[in-house]
Amino acid sequence: MLLAASKVLDQLKPVIGINTDPDRSEGHLCLPVRYTHSFPDALQKLYTGEFRWQWRQRIRLYLEGTGINPVPVDLHEQQLSQEQHSRAHVNGRFQDQRSQISEPHLLPVRSLNEVFIGESLSSRSFNINKIANQAVEEILKIGEFLMTLTTGYNESLLYSPEEPRLFFSIREPISNRVFSSSRQRGFASNLHSSRCWDACMVVDGGTSFEFNDGAIASILINTEDALRTVLLED
């Protein structure tokens, strides 16, 4: 469904999915699981108007700066090793000579699920396992008992897909004399990223853009990009 949704860039065409493998797929973008085996009921509700539109917010991406290539590598139809992935971006850069873009360039994709920015370099054990002050502070504010702590903390990470908010997470942040990170997660309305080496930016796990040192990404929500889906009435 993410692949199908990525092909729809306007609000005129609704995207309605059926979970054909409910035993192995949660199907957040699909109709409830009960309609997998009673699809005629879903069609009847759609025909009689027993539903409301749900506008799922999506992420808009701009790239600018030096050393970037706005031509994507499609990952849906291929399995690439890290070396092959890097080579695919290099080949694309030779085919597209726009290595420097002075104005923000709107990428031809919208992210419904996530935007991952990362390097192929490995992090050290300390950065993988250390706990941040923010994590301890948030946990202590929630409650006293283990179940209350766990449930309260996990629920604080969830929000409606119709809310125009971005949730960011910094995985394994580097912490040393040069770099530091006081906040490893949270909500934002606009994100900017750069300072990567041998890296890429992957949209919804299927479309990859080269993203190395000198590149700047603007990651934001624009309500005009919202995906039209449906919520059937009970």
Side-chain angles (χ1 to χ4, degrees), residues 117-119 121 193-200 211-215:
I117 298 175
E119 303 175 334
L121 303 177
S193 302
S194 60
R195 286 189 172 182
C196 288
W197 179 258
D198 192 20
C200 60
F211 192 75
N212 287 319
D213 190 30

Side-chain angles (χ1 to χ4, degrees), residues 56-164:
R56 293 179 177 268
Q57 300 300 324
R58 296 194 287 183
I59 300 173
R60 176 179 289 202
L61 301 160
Y62 292 88
L63 274 182
E64 61 181 306
T66 60
I68 68 174
N69 180 14
V71 178
V73 171
D74 190 351
L75 304 180
H76 287 292
E77 301 298 331
Q78 51 190 323
Q79 292 289 333
L80 300 178
S81 66
Q82 190 277 324
E83 181 180 356
Q84 291 171 322
H85 191 186
S86 298
R87 191 183 308 123
H89 278 300
V90 171
N91 292 338
R93 185 165 60 245
F94 282 120
Q95 295 172 8
D96 192 311
Q97 299 300 319
R98 292 176 296 173
S99 60
Q100 179 172 352
I101 299 178
S102 58
E103 297 294 331
H105 177 79
L106 177 62
L107 299 182
V109 292
R110 302 293 182 270
S111 174
L112 185 65
N113 218 27
E114 64 180 5
V115 177
F116 172 81
I117 298 175
E119 303 175 334
S120 61
L121 303 177
S122 60
S123 299
R124 298 183 182 275
S125 176
F126 171 77
N127 291 304
I128 296 175
N129 295 291
K130 70 184 179 72
I131 186 170
N133 291 335
Q134 180 189 0
V136 177
E137 181 182 3
E138 291 179 356
I139 290 175
L140 291 177
K141 287 180 179 178
I142 294 174
E144 179 179 359
F145 301 103
L146 178 61
M147 186 61 68
T148 303
L149 287 172
T150 304
T151 302
Y153 175 76
N154 290 337
E155 288 180 350
S156 72
L157 303 178
L158 302 176
Y159 59 100
S160 169
E162 295 182 286
E163 292 186 47

